[in-house]
Every structure is written in structure tokens, then in C-alpha cells.
Amino acid sequence: MTPPSGDSSEGPGRGAAPSSAGPVPLPAPKFATAARAALSDGRLRRNLAGATAVLRARRDAATAELDDWEELREAGRAIRDRTLLNLDSHLEELERAVTGAGGTVHWAADAAEARRIVTTLVRATGEGEVHAVRSAVAREIRLDEALERAGITVRGAGLAELVMDLDGDGRPSHPLFPALHHDRARIRDLLAGGPPGTPADLPDDPAALAGAARARLRDGVPPGGAAICGAAFLVAETGTVVLAEPGGGGRACAVLPETLICVAGIEEVVPTWADLEVFLQLLPRAAVGERTLPAISTWTGVTPGDGPAAFHLVLLDNGRTTVLADEIGRAALRCVRCAACLDVCPVYGRTGGDPYGPGLPGPIGAVLTPQVRGVESAAGASLPYASTLCGACADVCPVKIDIPDLLVHLRGRVVESRRRRPVPPPELAMMRALAWTMGDRRRHEAALRRGTRWARLLSRGGRIRRLPGLLGRWTDARDVPAPPAETFRAWWRSRARSGGTGTGAGPEAGR
Ligand code: SF4
């Protein structure tokens, strides 16, 4: 499937081609390297553990309330799969509906094109400042940085966004709760030191913090100008954008300005309002453990005298059609961004979102980012391994994405891509040497004898703390038991020589 390549609308993005070039590779370091800072930050780990435990408990209680939760999950999965298989026609229907309601649709093949479209639209308003309800898609295309580079100041619309803005170079940890990794004391310090008029002795209780942030945000959104938002869903039959927020700061931000620009991934489309009904039951319970989200807002084009006078919808491909072409990998596009899989993931629970790079964090990021950005870079290749394969993510996913299955599928792609390199990477060269050694009994036994001698020389108290060379990665996070003095094969031979009785103690006896 490819999205319609012609742009029926005026403005930038006209005639956008499908993303044959694909998204730019990940510039981030590989996951294990990026995770080191988080793993050594005790406060961050404590905050993450506390916040995700609360979310898990709420989710479990909210889903247990429904007798038909499993049927709902199955319905969500089926709608998503059906929609993805006919995505091109649903997108065309969406474009017709948005245009018919007075909006304008722009097709962005990749992140660069989306950034260009949005920057041009904001500049056209004549404003040097834009209000943004930040979304996963905006983070994916690094929209804020592009706007700042173009001289446009970006102001966040919610408490969490305000906290992240005040945090300077702080990056969001979580798609729904960007400041999840901060405790109340840290948020108090940021608020007390930042917004003008905030009392220096601001207490760190939730009501006082929310009040201080609300006052600042309310005053900060002037009527007129431009606003940028993402979308939880796009309803094709009416061309409606659905914004679902756990906070609600985004609604004022998006309603007051004259121009509203929504940037959304092409997979966010749902065919009808009846389909949306299923997701509006699944999403709040899975995301925040509530029966509904505090703020669900919908926009359909423009209405004279009410809300923004101009509405632009930027539909982003950025590698999604490539994912769609993969029969196994496409399941990741079912995601409704509830973040339930993050809250149960033992890896995310210790590292937070930063090490996953600019895409989605957590288990869904580990399967979606390498698919849209490729597995050729060290960062892309490392993400499918950022998991214990415990399966907790698949158990909670409201649209039944089998994330462990996708992780294994992507690990296969990583191995394949390495096989194709002209110069084999060290791991592959080592595996080939091992295959050659183990392919012949004599070679194998000679290597075992030598390896055992060396390993016993390296061991202290029955453990090897550090293996040399490439093998050293194995001992980065664990010790290896010293091998027994006698190999199993030698023991077996001596047992056979002694008429099948041997010593009876086995090779372990030589430890
Ligand atoms: S993969 Fe499933 S659980 Fe994770 S964010 Fe997406 S919908 Fe939610």
C-alpha cells in the first residue's frame, strides 16, 4: 500500500512521493551504551519503579472491571488489522472528508518533508511563536528542534510539557507522562525556579504544583497565532481528528489559535466512529487505568466563528509503508500508544525512555523504531535486544500486539543484515570460527582442551569475572563458572574404559 502520492491541497507538500528513501538512520548510540547513565541513576530508577507500579495497579483494576475485556481487545486487534490492509482507501476517504470540511491535507513522505511543511505553515501565520500539544509523532520527526532552528519558539501546552521545557535538555521518558521520571520535589524545584510569579516556597503537593502550572499555561496561550497537535486517531468517514489526553492542557492550546496544524502518522486512521468507540474503551483503561480519559477532543475541519479558522492535517509516512509491507512486522502499526507495555517492561522500568532514541520508548519502540529506521545502524540493531522476552508487554497490549514475536523476527533481520556486510562483524567472524571448530570432532576436542586450560587459569574461587576480547561482553554483567577439570567427553571415555561404571562422580567432580 502507498498513500495517495498527489496532494490535493494547496501549500507545501504538494506532490509528495511515497517514502522510497526511508527515514534517516538513528544517530543515537546503541541501547546498552545509552542505558548506562540511567542505570547508574538511583533516583531515576526509584521514580520509574514507583510511577510504573501505580500505573500497573490502576490498569489491572480498570481492566478487571470489564467482563468482556478480552473480547474488546480482540475487536481492537481485528479493526486495526482490517484497517491496515486497506489503508490506502481509508486515507483517501480521510483526505476527501477533511478537504470537504474546509481543512487542508498534506502528505509527508519522511520526517524532513513533514518538518518543512509545518515550518512553512507556521511562518505563513507571521508568528514567531507556536503552541504545541507535543506528540510521539512530533518527537519522532524532531519537530521542536526544526522549528527552533527556523527561529520559531515552541511552547508546550501541559504540565508535563512545561516541566520538560523548564528541565532544559531533559527528554520525555514516557509518551503519556513525559515527566514520569521526575519526583514531586524535582518538579517543585523546576516550577519554583521557572515561571514568573511562581512562589519560591511552592509546596510539593500535587494540587499546588498543578495550580502553579495551570496558571502559567492559561496565561501563556493567547488567542490567534498557530498551534500544533498530534492525534490519537483520525476518523476517515468524517475527517475528524481525535486528541486524547490524560491531562487536558492541549485543548485550550489547540482551540484558541487561528491556525491548527495536526501532524499524524498514516496508521492512526480508523474507518468509522463505530470503530473509534472500541478504541475509546480500550485506550483509557490500558493507558491510565481509567474508564475514560479526562480530555477527549475532536476537530472536523473548520467552523466559521468557532475555533481555528484554518486547519491543516499533515499525514506522515516516514517508513510506515515499509513496515506495512512486512507481513509479521506490520502488527506494530496496530499500536494505539497507550504505553501499557512500557509500564510492565522490566527493561524500560530501569532505563526510562532516553536510551530508546528519538522514536517511541519501551517495548513498542524496540520493535517500531528499528522497522522504520532500519537495523543497519548499531542503534537500530541494538533495539530488538533491549528486552528480556518475558512477554509481559504482549499480555497487556489492548490490541494484542505480540511484541516478543516481533522482537525475535527483528533479531533475525539484524543477523541477516550482518551476514550481508562485505566485511563480517567480529561476532559473525567468531561464530563462523566456532562453526568450523565444532564441525569436526578432533578440532572440537582440541579446542575444548585448550579452552578449558585457559579458562581455569583465568578463574578465581571457581568463577571467571572477566573473559578476554569479544567474549568479555558476556562477563560485562555476570560471572562465568570455571569449567570442570575434566570435560564431559573425557569423563565419558574414561567411564566406557572402566566398563560403564566410571568414577560415578562425573565431570563436575573436577571443579
Ligand atoms: S504496543 Fe500495545 S501496549 Fe504498547 S503502547 Fe502500543 S498499544 Fe499500548
Side-chain angles (χ1 to χ4, degrees):
M1 168 270 155
T2 50
S5 56
D7 184 352
S8 66
S9 58
E10 293 295 320
R14 174 176 279 280
S19 65
S20 53
V24 286
L26 272 177
K30 61 183 188 176
F31 183 86
T33 311
R36 279 202 191 111
L39 289 173
S40 59
D41 184 340
R43 186 175 183 182
L44 175 103
R45 291 179 58 173
R46 241 187 343 270
N47 293 343
L48 281 171
T52 52
V54 170
L55 286 168
R56 277 199 305 274
R58 277 205 212 148
R59 179 200 161 273
D60 289 350
T63 55
E65 270 185 6
L66 292 184
D67 293 336
D68 62 349
W69 177 247
E70 287 309 313
E71 285 82 358
L72 264 177
R73 286 179 79 203
E74 184 52 33
R77 184 204 61 75
I79 294 169
R80 268 312 214 210
D81 280 351
R82 222 175 34 240
T83 308
L84 289 171
L85 287 177
N86 296 296
L87 194 53
D88 48 358
S89 55
H90 293 307
L91 286 169
E92 284 168 350
E93 184 185 7
L94 174 73
E95 182 183 36
R96 279 194 299 275
V98 171
T99 309
T104 307
V105 175
H106 308 265
W107 298 95
D110 55 27
E113 187 167 20
R115 290 192 296 261
R116 206 165 44 244
I117 292 168
V118 176
T119 308
T120 309
L121 288 171
V122 176
R123 277 203 180 122
T125 65
E127 299 286 335
E129 185 175 285
V130 67
H131 284 84
V133 190
R134 297 215 175 88
S135 63
V137 169
R139 279 192 290 279
E140 174 189 331
I141 62 172
R142 296 178 175 274
L143 185 57
D144 284 12
E145 290 99 312
L147 290 168
E148 299 281 357
R149 272 199 306 277
I152 298 161
T153 306
V154 184
R155 300 219 180 277
L159 167 61
E161 285 149 331
L162 175 60
V163 168
M164 298 313 296
D165 284 348
L166 294 171
D167 195 19
D169 62 353
R171 280 194 270 165
S173 243
H174 194 274
L176 297 174
F177 305 101
L180 180 97
H181 55 298
H182 285 324
D183 49 36
R184 289 210 300 260
R186 173 76 180 139
I187 293 173
R188 192 211 77 89
D189 291 346
L190 288 168
L191 283 174
T198 310
D201 60 348
L202 183 68
D204 70 358
D205 67 86
L209 296 177
R214 202 173 293 127
R216 153 95 173 176
L217 292 165
R218 199 172 35 227
D219 295 345
V221 186
I228 300 170
C229 68
F233 303 101
L234 304 164
V235 186
E237 67 178 348
T238 51
T240 302
V241 170
V242 182
L243 192 65
E245 300 172 88
R251 183 179 291 172
C253 164
V255 166
L256 291 174
E258 281 290 299
T259 301
L260 178 61
I261 304 161
C262 173
V263 189
I266 53 173
E267 81 285 13
E268 282 160 42
V269 69
V270 292
T272 65
W273 282 83
D275 297 324
L276 181 69
E277 184 187 319
V278 172
F279 296 116
L280 290 187
Q281 293 177 71
L282 286 170
L283 183 62
R285 288 177 195 265
V288 289
E290 301 283 355
R291 292 171 190 153
T292 184
L293 284 166
I296 295 177
S297 316
T298 61
W299 280 272
T300 307
V302 292
T303 305
D306 184 13
F311 172 69
H312 296 269
L313 175 61
V314 182
L315 287 169
L316 178 73
D317 181 328
N318 204 31
R320 287 162 171 79
T321 46
T322 310
V323 183
L324 198 57
D326 180 338
E327 277 182 28
I328 297 174
R330 81 165 62 117
L333 293 178
R334 281 187 219 142
C335 178
V336 292
R337 312 288 192 263
C338 71
C341 56
L342 279 71
D343 303 331
V344 296
C345 177
V347 177
Y348 171 84
R350 283 156 183 79
T351 65
D354 233 14
Y356 293 87
L360 277 171
I364 184 61
V367 293
L368 201 49
T369 305
Q371 291 199 78
V372 296
R373 291 177 179 256
V375 294
E376 285 72 28
S377 68
S382 69
L383 284 173
Y385 294 89
S387 166
T388 61
L389 294 184
C390 68
C393 46
D395 290 345
V396 296
C397 178
V399 282
K400 292 190 158 185
I401 302 175
D402 191 342
I403 294 177
D405 194 40
L406 295 184
L407 288 164
V408 173
H409 171 63
L410 287 167
R411 288 180 188 187
R413 276 182 46 190
V414 172
V415 172
E416 278 308 313
S417 84
R418 287 179 176 169
R419 250 193 252 286
R420 288 195 301 270
R421 286 188 195 167
V423 179
E427 292 96 331
L428 187 57
M430 195 175 77
M431 286 300 165
R432 282 182 180 159
L434 270 177
W436 179 80
T437 307
M438 294 172 84
D440 177 272
R441 183 177 62 80
R442 266 174 304 211
R443 281 199 296 264
H444 185 202
E445 287 189 359
L448 263 184
R449 272 194 305 276
R450 264 181 243 125
T452 303
R453 266 202 302 275
W454 276 106
R456 290 183 68 81
L457 280 176
L458 288 172
S459 68
R460 295 281 174 275
R463 320 285 304 167
I464 302 170
R465 311 238 180 268
R466 176 103 201 126
L467 284 169
L470 262 186
L471 295 172
R473 290 191 190 169
W474 182 257
T475 46
D476 270 354
R478 55 175 88 70
D479 293 345
V480 182
E486 184 185 31
T487 65
F488 177 80
R489 282 162 181 261
W491 170 78
W492 187 261
R493 264 198 301 268
S494 74
R495 181 179 178 278
R497 274 198 299 271
S498 62
T501 54
T503 62
E508 293 296 311
R511 281 194 184 284

